[in-house]
Amino acid sequence: MMNILILGAGGREHAFAWKISQSPLCKELFVAPGNSGTSALATNLNVTVTDFEGIKKHVLAYNINMVVVGPEDPLVGGIHDFFISDNQLNHVAVIGPEKAAAQLEGSKEFAKEFLVRHDIPTAAYNSFTKETLEEGYLFLESLDPPYVLKADGLAAGKGVLILSDINEAKNELKSMLVDSKFGEASTKVVIEEFLEGIELSCFVLSDGKNYKLLPTAKDYKRIGEGDKGLNTGGMGAISPVPFADPILLSKIENRIVKPTVDGLVKDNLPYKGFIFIGLIIVDDEPMVIEYNVRMGDPETEAVLPRIKTDLVEIFQAIDSNSLDEIEIKIDEQTAVTVMLVSGGYPEKYEKGKEIIGLEDIQESIIFHAGASNIDGKILTSGGRVLAVTSLGDNFRSALKQSYKSIDNIRFESMNYRTDIGFDL
Ligand code: AMP
Ligand code: GLY
């Protein structure tokens, strides 16, 4: 039996709490800082995910044996290393890679160098700094449009620009490098070849040597129907991805997943945690567009409900380097998640709207994202508010169920996409 702490506050962390709280191996569950959803299943702790000293205090006070890290910030900031190097904390299992390995998400250039070094298919690229701006312009001229510009560092999902006009691309490159458009994150910029194809994400668990594949998923990032409009954190997800047939899956495993995990070992990058590999399928061949060192949100809300195996047992196997000894059982059903967001998101939106109708939902799982429990009322507190997940024999029947459940939920200016899965 273990006391477990989940770091984070979104739908992903509510999904983790939902799954972990079902485990007979979990004694007490904590979430920091959590939300109204996690507070119904666990004790929320008032500490932010990057306050390592604050987290340490709570870990010691509550005898926490395992920390599951939701978002990338604390991983890139070295939370796993912080635990290892502290005498009072080094017995605690941390699910999430060490700092050196978290650079796969923390630096796009690091990720590209890793991909090239290990011969993993990815778009051709070059990286530039303020000092090499002119070379950057020349490189852009050597490419065909559209142009893909990526801020090297963490930019809260906003650091990738895709531009069709060469002059606009040059201006943006300058604004990133010279005018610090994304602050520190755009001190370096990766420019890469545009890949045309359909996207999906694959999720992998690693104990540093062995790996297990988790279900694939696809997310819908744009705010508008038909994948139009601004990028968001994610408006919906489907797992599994219907077009990921066994042939494609075996290519993904052999050409991408295996070389990635082997590459981590060769490069001495300690990795105990989730690897989220963003892929584009070009002429039936998978190519990597990004690594994330955590689970996706809202992909987690569609992937975890399909995992039948006890998640704590899986995490213990990661901690004890024995992932090869367990079998992860997956539900054959399709899971579909639809996000309900605040009107105006991803731009300006209001908070504090009361959410009504949640208690009537039986056939879907509701994961809270930007929602808080204030004096017994559930109020909106973020852009992405709730994730509505349903399971079905196929994505259409699962979707139908999610939309039926959504009909019962209300808050002022509630918005969602009615076309999740439209492209499949
Ligand atoms: P990232 O933050 O790296 O996932 O990039 C955000 C989005 O930009 C991805 O989900 C893709 O839709 C798109 N993207 C990134 N790299 C490329 C590329 N080389 N070619 C085409 N689209 C890309
Ligand atoms: N849904 C995309 C992400 O979590 O980065």
Side-chain angles (χ1 to χ4, degrees), residues 26-337:
C26 178
K27 193 159 82 191
E28 276 192 83
L29 182 60
F30 301 87
V31 186
N35 61 30
S36 48
T38 64
S39 69
L41 301 168
T43 304
N44 283 353
L45 303 176
N46 188 12
V47 58
T48 61
V49 298
T50 47
D51 175 8
F52 295 175
E53 289 295 340
I55 291 168
K56 173 178 173 176
K57 280 197 196 104
H58 287 91
V59 165
L60 296 177
Y62 295 110
N63 280 316
I64 285 163
N65 316 94
M66 177 181 280
V67 177
V68 179
V69 186
E72 62 276 16
D73 277 349
L75 294 167
V76 173
I79 191 159
H80 197 147
D81 313 60
F82 175 83
F83 271 70
I84 290 175
S85 61
D86 188 305
N87 284 337
Q88 290 174 288
L89 296 179
N90 58 17
H91 66 283
V92 177
V94 178
I95 304 303
E98 288 173 45
K99 186 173 182 164
Q103 285 299 303
L104 281 184
E105 180 166 359
S107 162
K108 301 266 185 204
E109 184 185 50
F110 180 92
K112 295 298 285 192
E113 286 171 352
F114 177 91
L115 287 160
V116 170
R117 185 160 61 244
H118 299 294
D119 225 355
I120 302 169
T122 190
Y125 82 105
N126 251 307
S127 59
F128 301 93
T129 60
K130 198 160 65 181
E131 286 69 38
T132 54
L133 181 63
E134 292 297 327
E135 282 104 309
Y137 291 160
L138 289 176
F139 186 62
L140 282 171
E141 281 167 11
S142 77
L143 297 172
D144 292 323
Y147 306 96
V148 184
L149 271 51
K150 301 185 171 186
D152 179 60
L154 291 184
K158 298 189 175 66
V160 177
L161 301 178
I162 299 184
L163 305 156
S164 47
D165 180 76
I166 181 83
N167 291 317
E168 211 186 331
K170 287 182 180 174
N171 285 339
E172 288 293 352
L173 180 65
K174 179 157 178 266
S175 135
M176 287 164 95
L177 291 175
V178 181
D179 311 324
S180 308
K181 176 168 179 144
F182 298 105
E184 273 284 296
S186 64
T187 312
K188 252 185 219 161
V189 173
V190 167
I191 301 179
E192 69 179 34
E193 164 199 20
F194 181 82
L195 300 175
E196 184 85 60
I198 187 155
E199 285 182 48
L200 81 150
S201 296
C202 109
F203 299 95
V204 181
L205 276 168
S206 159
D207 66 8
K209 184 168 124 265
N210 310 290
Y211 71 87
K212 290 280 178 189
L213 294 178
L214 295 176
T216 56
K218 185 174 194 322
D219 83 338
Y220 291 80
K221 286 206 178 91
R222 304 294 195 92
I223 186 70
E225 322 244 294
D227 278 343
K228 301 262 159 51
L230 293 172
N231 252 326
T232 70
M235 296 293 290
I238 294 185
S239 174
V241 182
F243 60 80
D245 56 40
I247 296 175
L248 179 60
L249 287 177
S250 96
K251 283 183 187 170
I252 291 173
E253 179 163 10
N254 291 315
R255 297 186 192 166
I256 293 180
V257 176
K258 274 199 188 117
T260 295
V261 177
D262 291 346
L264 290 167
V265 175
K266 277 187 207 144
D267 292 353
N268 202 11
L269 297 170
Y271 210 113
K272 287 180 183 290
F274 293 94
I275 315 173
F276 165 163
I277 312 180
L279 301 166
I280 294 191
I281 312 306
V282 184
D283 299 329
D284 295 326
E285 298 301 320
M287 302 185 72
V288 176
I289 47 171
E290 65 167 340
Y291 286 113
N292 294 307
V293 297
R294 51 171 175 85
M295 278 299 286
D297 194 348
E299 292 92 330
T300 308
E301 293 95 302
V303 167
L304 284 191
R306 299 188 54 225
I307 297 180
K308 296 204 263 190
T309 310
D310 184 339
L311 194 59
V312 179
E313 198 183 313
I314 298 173
F315 287 161
Q316 284 181 330
I318 289 178
D319 184 49
S320 61
N321 310 313
S322 55
L323 206 46
D324 54 329
E325 287 166 26
I326 63 168
E327 190 198 349
I328 300 183
K329 292 208 178 71
I330 305 296
D331 189 332
E332 293 292 317
Q333 292 185 96
T334 292
V336 169
T337 300

Side-chain angles (χ1 to χ4, degrees), residues 355-362 366 368 378 386 408-409:
I355 304 168
I356 315 242
L358 295 177
E359 53 293 322
D360 300 330
I361 313 292
Q362 307 291 340
I366 311 288
H368 296 205
I378 310 293
L386 299 169
N408 294 301
I409 305 173

